């Protein structure tokens, strides 16, 4: 298996570098072909690493000093000017110069998107990068939702490119041979929706590079109807955060309902043990990690308050994308799609 290098922003996120290093320790055991570069403040990381002897002893871990940290409330424009030696910029530079094949950061989302665009640039022909994440499905599988906020407004051409990029990711990472692609809309009927989404639907119907199945609604997000669901960043961000809020409400209510009487606690524990595998697909940690598609490198955004297990999932997703060389595959498919459009317009 080809050896890979993944750069980790040790200073990003709400939980501090301890989460990153704990996830790294697990990743060393799980991915024996991968090297890791830990980027951050040596004065903070060096004493912390003493609590992780396996990480310190590993020949597959190196550390790169970064004197600055991007705070979660920093403005992206200010970060670009004032923090050139941040740990976030460091991991992106490692991908840019080819030292690493991918990077992971739990830092400021806006700053990461702006800095990624500046440092890595988009692939030739790609109009805009898209933020994409996995959603659990009723059948136990996963679907992809994009865009999640990188582009609040999009034209029809951009939505079509998102469909192409999402389709390539579904094929290469989720191993779906003919991923079903849909547009998120306010109804399934062709007459529903605004002009942009209607125009995008017409373009996708004419494309041979995606398996377009039509419109889906918000209640289809987890129904296994589609493998790739496309929308503008404004819609996608609200949809995702609404789902996250509902999940938190359900988990909290379930926890409270089983935390009172001794008997209910016992029943809850027995049920969990008996149906652990059946419920594992609901664990949000395994879906942590949103990819920035369309860039000349693999960039994985972990949730800011991710646990070590969740951050490990983000590392796993970055490794999968880097191993598949996803940016190159997206470049090839986008190029073919653009040639198809030019040919159709000539005809």
């Amino acid at each position: 298996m080809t050896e890979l290098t993944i750069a980790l922003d040790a200073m990003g996120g709400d939980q501090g570098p301890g989460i990153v290093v704990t996830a790294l320790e697990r990743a060393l055991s799980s991915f024996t072909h991968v090297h890791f570069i830990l980027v951050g403040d040596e004065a903070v990381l060096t004493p912390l690493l003493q609590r992780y002897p396996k990480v310190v002893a590993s020949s597959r871990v190196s550390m790169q000093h970064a004197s600055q940290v991007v705070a979660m409330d920093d403005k992206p424009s200010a970060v670009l000017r004032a923090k050139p030696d941040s740990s976030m910029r460091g991991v992106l530079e490692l991908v840019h110069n080819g030292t690493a094949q991918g990077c992971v950061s739990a830092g400021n989302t806006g700053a990461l998107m702006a800095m990624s665009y500046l440092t890595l640039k988009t692939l030739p022909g790609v109009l805009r990068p898209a933020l994409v994440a996995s959603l659990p499905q009723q059948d136990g599988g996963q679907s992809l939702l994009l865009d999640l906020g990188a582009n609040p407004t999009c034209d029809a051409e951009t939505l079509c490119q998102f469909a192409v990029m999402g389709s390539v990711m579904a094929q290469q990472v989720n191993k779906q041979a003919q991923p079903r692609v849909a547009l998120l809309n306010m109804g399934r009927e062709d007459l529903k929706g605004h002009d942009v989404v209607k125009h995008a639907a017409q373009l996708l119907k004419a494309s041979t590079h995606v398996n377009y199945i039509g419109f889906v609604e918000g209640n289809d997000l987890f129904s296994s109807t589609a493998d790739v669901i496309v929308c503008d960043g404004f819609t996608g961000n609200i949809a995702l955060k609404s789902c996250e809020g509902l999940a938190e409400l359900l988990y909290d209510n379930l926890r409270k309902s089983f935390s009172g009487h001794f008997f209910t606690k016992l029943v809850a524990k027995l049920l969990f043990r008996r149906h652990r595998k059946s419920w594992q697909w609901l664990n949000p940690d395994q879906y942590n990690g949103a990819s920035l598609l369309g860039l000349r490198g693999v960039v994985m955004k972990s949730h800011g308050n991710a646990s070590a297990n969740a951050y490990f999932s983000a590392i796993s997703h970055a490794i999968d994308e880097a191993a598949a060389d996803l940016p190159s595959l997206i470049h090839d498919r986008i190029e073919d799609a653009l040639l198809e459009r030019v040919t159709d317009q000539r005809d």
Side-chain angles (χ1 to χ4, degrees):
M1 186 177 291
T2 304
E3 290 192 346
L4 299 171
T5 297
I6 301 296
L8 305 179
D9 175 7
M11 313 305 292
D14 301 321
Q15 306 298 325
I19 294 296
V20 178
V21 180
T22 301
L24 169 59
E25 184 177 51
R26 180 180 171 187
L28 285 171
S29 300
S30 300
F31 305 103
T32 57
H33 64 293
V34 180
H35 293 250
F36 297 94
I37 303 175
L38 204 57
V39 182
D41 188 344
E42 289 182 352
V44 176
L45 294 178
T46 300
L48 172 65
L49 288 171
Q50 300 310 308
R51 303 203 298 266
Y52 298 86
K54 292 182 179 179
V55 175
V56 174
S58 177
S59 62
R60 294 187 288 118
V61 177
S62 60
M63 187 165 61
Q64 177 174 299
H65 177 64
S67 62
Q68 297 174 308
V69 177
V70 176
M72 298 301 281
D73 58 351
D74 279 345
K75 292 184 178 180
S77 57
V79 169
L80 294 177
R81 296 190 305 269
K83 295 187 176 180
D85 192 38
S86 67
S87 55
M88 183 183 289
R89 181 66 175 266
V91 296
L92 291 169
E93 289 290 354
L94 287 170
V95 176
H96 174 65
N97 62 33
T99 303
Q101 286 71 57
C103 65
V104 183
S105 176
N108 182 317
T109 303
L112 182 63
M113 290 191 295
M115 205 174 290
S116 298
Y117 187 83
L118 175 69
T119 305
L120 298 177
K121 306 293 191 301
T122 56
L123 291 163
V126 171
L127 298 171
R128 298 182 186 179
L131 197 61
V132 56
S134 296
L135 297 177
Q137 297 297 295
Q138 285 180 346
D139 61 4
Q142 298 182 23
S143 65
L144 300 175
L145 177 65
L146 72 164
D147 177 37
L148 299 178
N151 309 277
T153 60
C154 301
D155 58 20
E157 295 280 356
T158 302
L159 291 177
C160 288
Q161 285 200 353
F162 291 171
V164 172
M165 294 192 294
S167 183
V168 174
M169 184 175 177
Q171 288 175 326
Q172 300 300 321
V173 178
N174 292 350
K175 306 304 180 184
Q176 296 164 329
Q178 290 291 327
R180 299 159 297 167
V181 178
L183 288 168
L184 184 59
N185 197 6
M186 59 186 293
R188 295 187 180 186
E189 300 84 358
D190 289 341
L191 295 176
K192 293 288 183 69
H194 50 64
D195 290 342
V196 171
V197 75
K198 290 178 183 178
H199 185 199
Q202 294 302 315
L203 295 177
L204 289 173
K205 287 177 182 178
S207 176
T208 62
H209 296 284
V210 294
N211 177 24
Y212 179 65
I213 63 170
F215 295 140
V216 294
E217 299 177 80
N219 57 358
D220 295 315
L221 289 178
F222 306 99
S223 68
S224 305
T225 302
D227 303 305
V228 179
I229 302 172
V230 178
C231 58
D232 61 68
F234 183 88
T235 303
N237 189 272
I238 291 176
L240 182 66
K241 289 181 178 177
S242 297
C243 295
E244 290 175 345
L246 177 59
E248 290 177 4
L249 175 64
L250 292 175
Y251 272 111
D252 187 57
N253 285 345
L254 189 62
R255 179 184 59 80
K256 289 178 180 178
S257 66
F258 285 125
S259 63
H261 195 273
F262 169 78
F263 179 74
T264 58
K265 289 182 180 180
L266 179 62
V267 170
K269 184 178 293 187
L270 291 174
L271 283 173
F272 179 77
R273 287 179 178 175
R274 185 176 182 85
H275 300 284
R276 181 188 298 269
K277 291 184 179 180
S278 299
W279 293 348
Q280 184 57 35
W281 69 277
L282 285 172
N283 184 355
D285 284 357
Q286 66 181 312
Y287 302 102
N288 179 55
S291 307
L292 265 174
L293 295 186
L295 297 171
R296 305 185 190 202
V298 173
V299 178
M300 187 67 56
K301 171 66 176 73
S302 171
H303 205 294
N305 63 358
S307 65
N309 286 336
Y311 198 95
F312 171 79
S313 293
I315 294 175
S316 303
H317 295 325
I319 291 171
D320 288 342
E321 292 184 21
D325 196 10
L326 193 61
S328 294
L329 297 174
I330 288 176
H331 167 262
D332 293 343
R333 187 76 67 84
I334 288 291
E335 188 176 66
D336 291 343
L338 289 173
L339 287 173
E340 180 182 62
R341 288 295 311 283
V342 170
T343 301
D344 290 343
Q345 289 173 356
R346 288 176 178 173
D347 294 342

